[in-house]
Amino acid sequence: MEPLPAPVADTVKLTEAARLLSRSAHGALPVRDPEGAYLGIVTARAVTEALAEQPDGAPAVTGDLVEMPPCVTADQQLAHALHPLLSASGTGLPVLDAERDEPVGWLSHQGALRSLHPPQNAPTAASPR
């Protein structure tokens, strides 16, 4: 599990969300309501599509584009989290605290690969070959 990306409020305008998502390594950000409750995620794809359309009545804020991704909880083994990860749009999923349904981290495809296949340590001058 990786650190959770900084969440955005559901009232953030899409142009600002686009700026934040362009700097996110995950292509998605958690969304919270004014009281701080987790609502789901907003994806770079959804924001891009909404900004490209821009007709009257088009979504204007992140709350209009919230998606509830497949559920992955912190108490799940990685083997059980892989299926939801593979079925999700984007490059990862929030990992929820099993008791509170609050995001506590992020699971990405890269993170799963690192866990399954840790990089080999390169030999050093002091290590046996």
Side-chain angles (χ1 to χ4, degrees), residues 46-102:
V47 170
T48 301
E49 288 174 355
L51 288 173
E53 292 175 8
Q54 289 295 321
D56 291 337
V61 295
T62 54
D64 296 333
L65 299 176
V66 171
E67 303 172 21
M68 187 53 74
C71 184
V72 173
T73 59
D75 62 351
Q76 278 183 294
Q77 293 182 358
L78 180 58
H80 294 114
L82 289 177
H83 182 71
L85 176 62
L86 294 174
S87 66
S89 61
T91 61
L93 294 171
V95 177
L96 304 178
D97 178 298
E99 296 174 11
R100 297 180 297 135
D101 286 334
E102 277 292 314

